Every structure is written in structure tokens, then in C-alpha cells.
Amino acid sequence: MDAHPPLIEHAGEPQSNALRGRLSRVEPKGLRTYTPSLAMVARSQGCYVWTPEERKLADFTSGVLVSNLGHNPVRWWQRVWRYMQLPDVHAVSDAFVSAMPLTSYNAASELEVDCCERLLANMRAQPGGGRMEQVLWAASGSEAIQKSLWASLRFTPGRDVILATRRGFHGKKGLANAVTGSETDPDRDPRVRFISFPTDECCDVQRRREPIDLAPYERELQSLADELAGRFCCLITEPYLGGSGSFHPQPEYLQLLERFCRQHDIIFILDEIQSNFGRTGPMYAYTHYGVEPDIVCLGKGLGNGVPVSAAVGRADVLGSLDYGHGSDTWSAHPLGSAAVLATLDEFETTDVLAQGQRLSATLEHGLERLKETGIVANVRGEGCVWGVECRDIGALTGRDVANACVKACYLGDDRGRAVHLLGPLASKVLRVSPPLVMPVDEARDYLDAMYDVFGTVAKQVS
Ligand SMILES: Cc1ncc(COP(=O)(O)O)c(C=O)c1O
């Protein structure tokens, strides 16, 4: 294993190259997911980040679907500040006597209570949110998933089987990792059994609009029921396969899973860590997928960048955890509560969801056009979360082509328009997920830049 992989360097980036060199000495590479650009960010505002050389990059990642409201929105920060009861920073120091503490371990505050109540009210107000009764806070997505599974297992003593959908991604830690992937992964937790998630039926935007044949999934579920009836505890799935390359199923598939859960008294957990707060269109994906989960896991965009996550759902299930079972240092910390409240304020008082839906149509059109370059095999997505699958070209794999595109988009076109992308998912799928607030004309301009850059890559590789 190479502890010191080749340094990522780009021509014309002296400060960034020096920083990448220093970084490689002080952090192990495993901290990051590989991206051939490894952008060094010196500042950010709205839908853009800037390198130390002052090169402007349109952020088509939102971090990793985190900053749905863009980076550092002023009104959002003012709200966070007010919820934290922080005074003007220039005010006299004793004004800080009113400020909230930065920990809530062994103590709680009205801020936390308000935040739970507001979040629950927001979730219940959407179709499908009828079971949202309590909030079990956490700091990262995988922790929220783990807590939802712990609570489910304790709620159903003697029922040890966790059902998960194949090729899902729920996190890298503990039980969250155990329900990720499929049974072919080594060291699989024997309690977890997998069922297929549609990929062929929703392999592009057009096919997804056609009805899905549920019969193969019904057969699979029936054979699991024949084998394991009485042992099912919970079923965990995502609205769409994100990490596995953007497969967005027809709603009827999730509705089938929900029906199965109801028939067998199984706790239905929906992982909305990527999709929450408007990513797929509505506030939560459960609304337009037409399901009513028992537990919904939230994260990423929930705090617009402040680390906060939660398992939200039925009080009887979450209440099965005893004192301490779901506690940890950072859960429910006041800064997280302030961030969630400020984010809810923005979603509840502005037209950010409508803006996201306008942006969605622009993204679909601009990304579909990339197929004309000959290096894109498929485009899949909904709302403001899209996947662009690259083709194998000659001796180059789709992964090589995707990596070449990420790097070329980062370096920009001949008009200096550059796009910040994540490294490819599922080896060859580029994720496009800009902040929901990106103005449509700016998105169109940068999609045009991507078209030009992809065209250049196509010439180089063919
Ligand atoms: C759907 C989904 N669930 C869970 C997680 C895990 O979240 P975290 O990385 O915050 O632990 C992710 C992260 O990408 C995700 O996309």
C-alpha cells in the first residue's frame, strides 16, 4: 500500500500545489475520497468556491450535498448567530454572558426543545410524515443510521433480521456499514439480508418514467418471507441509490417495500441523509415517493454545513433505547440546533424549493446535452441530484474518462469557466448536485462550460 501517493499538482497553481504538498505530509490519504482535482479552497460564497490563486469554481457538489442553501448565506448565519444568543462580536466582552454553551451533554436548553418541535412539525406537515414523533440526534449520517438500527433491534427483541436494499450506501461505521453494499462483501454481519434495488428499470430518465414491473421484487420478498417470517426487525433503504451511481426508482418500488413492512410488522427506515431538505424536489423524498416511514434518517443538508444528523420517527421505537444508549458527546449540541433552525427558517420562509425545481429542469437539459460529446453513456437523476455515467472509450475505462472530466472541468474552459465536481461514484458516474439556490442562468452558463470541456476531453480520448 502506497502511504505517499503521487502528489496532485496543477499547472499555474503555485499556492495550491504547495498546500497539497504540506497536506500530504500531515494527513493520511484515507481521510479523503480520491478526486483528481483535489481543489484547495481559500474562500467560498453562495454557489462558488475560490482557490488560493483566486480562481473561481462553480460548486456543482454542495460539499457532498450539504450546502443546499449555498456557502455562508448571510441571513442564515445571522439566524444561527441569533439562535446561539451571540452578541455583536465587537460588543463589550461581558455581552457574551447571554450566549449558549457549545455543549449539551448532561444538560439541555430551550433551543434544543424548539429545534425538535420545529423539525417534527415540519416533517409532519408533509405527506408521509405522519409517524414523526421524536428526534434522536447524532453528529454524522452513519451515527444516525446506527441509532435507528439500535433502536429497532431493541424494540423487537428476538427478531434479529435486518433487511437492506442491495448496493445502498448508509455510511462506513459499524452497523451503518453492515447495511451498505450487498451480501458479497467480506465479513458480512449475518443479521443483515439483502433484496434487490431497481437499476435496469430506472437506468435513464426516460425508462424511469415508464411503469416498473414489480413481479421480480415481489418474488424476492416472498422467498425471504418464506424463509424468515417472524424474524424480521426492520428494513432500511434509500429513496435512490446515491453512492452506487444515481439510480432513482419508480415510487411504486418503495411503496412495495413499505407494504411488505406493514404486512410483516417490520420497522420501515428511510435513509434521507442525502435527499432531505429539498434535494429531490420536495422537502423530503418520502413525500413524492408516496411512503410513510417509521423512521427517517436525516443529515448532510440538515445543518447546511454544521455537522448534525438525526433519526426521526416513532416514539415507541426510539423510546426503546434506555438512558445512555443513544447519547454521545456531540448529539443535540446547541450549534447544531441553531443551524437546523436557521435552515428550517430559510426553507419555510423563502421559495428555495421552487427555485430548486426550476434548477432541476436546467440541470436535466444541460446534462442530457453532454451525451452529444460521445463520452457520456447515461444521465440519471431528479431534483438537484444527478449522475452522469461516462463510457469506456478505446483502452480507457469509464473511470479514466470520468476522472479526466473532473480534472478538465476543474481547470476550466478557454473562457476561464471552471466547475468543481466530486470524484466519480461507482467508478464512472459523475455526481452533479449544486446548491438549490444556484441561479438558473448561472447554472446554464456552467453547464455550457461542461459541454465545451467534455467536448475537448472527447477529442483527446478518441
Ligand atoms: C444516503 C447516505 N446515508 C448515509 C451516509 C453517511 O453519512 P456520513 O458520511 O455523514 O456518516 C451518506 C453519506 O454520504 C449517505 O449518502
Side-chain angles (χ1 to χ4, degrees), residues 122-343:
N122 182 281
M123 295 183 81
R124 276 202 296 262
Q126 325 291 326
R131 295 168 194 241
M132 301 297 106
E133 295 169 341
Q134 285 195 339
V135 186
L136 179 57
W137 294 105
S140 70
S142 13
E143 288 166 340
I145 298 287
Q146 292 224 84
K147 289 184 184 185
S148 73
L149 295 170
W150 289 338
S152 301
L153 286 165
R154 289 189 78 85
F155 184 67
T156 57
R159 290 160 58 176
D160 58 337
V161 175
I162 299 172
L163 284 174
T165 43
R166 260 180 217 118
R167 298 178 63 185
F169 182 76
H170 302 287
K172 294 179 183 156
K173 294 165 222 131
L175 266 186
N177 184 52
V179 291
T180 286
S182 77
E183 55 274 76
T184 58
D185 297 340
D187 307 324
R188 175 57 54 203
D189 185 322
R191 290 172 299 181
V192 183
R193 298 294 296 266
F194 289 90
I195 53 171
S196 301
F197 195 101
T199 49
D200 293 345
E201 295 87 337
C202 53
C203 58
D204 68 15
V205 174
Q206 204 41 50
R207 283 209 59 192
R208 181 172 185 254
R209 290 182 179 133
E210 291 162 14
I212 181 172
D213 175 11
L214 291 175
Y217 305 100
E218 284 165 346
R219 279 197 294 276
E220 236 182 286
L221 288 167
Q222 188 53 51
S223 100
L224 278 168
D226 293 344
E227 181 192 343
L228 299 163
R231 284 183 57 195
F232 297 120
C233 160
C234 57
L235 181 152
I236 182 163
T237 189
E238 301 169 82
Y240 58 89
L241 293 182
S244 275
S246 259
F247 291 95
H248 301 249
Q250 288 88 337
E252 290 74 15
Y253 169 73
L254 284 189
Q255 291 163 15
L256 170 71
L257 296 184
E258 186 190 15
R259 270 200 307 282
F260 183 76
C261 288
R262 301 295 165 237
Q263 278 158 11
H264 295 271
D265 192 22
I266 298 169
I267 298 161
F268 179 41
I269 305 172
L270 189 62
D271 177 349
E272 288 228 30
I273 283 159
Q274 278 204 10
S275 58
N276 60 196
F277 282 28
R279 234 338 119 185
T280 62
M283 193 68 181
Y284 306 96
Y286 58 69
T287 296
H288 72 137
Y289 279 91
V291 291
E292 186 176 294
D294 295 301
I295 300 180
V296 178
C297 295
L298 308 174
K300 294 191 188 284
L302 177 66
N304 205 53
V306 171
V308 55
S309 66
V312 185
R314 276 169 49 188
D316 55 352
V317 179
L318 299 179
S320 64
L321 293 178
D322 205 347
Y323 277 117
H325 289 161
S327 76
D328 43 45
T329 306
W330 301 118
S331 292
H333 67 94
L335 188 56
S337 298
V340 173
L341 281 167
T343 309

Side-chain angles (χ1 to χ4, degrees), residues 7 15-27 40:
L7 261 188
Q15 293 103 310
S16 294
N17 288 340
L19 285 170
R20 282 186 278 260
R22 283 167 59 196
L23 188 72
S24 71
R25 288 190 283 278
V26 292
E27 281 180 1
M40 298 303 303

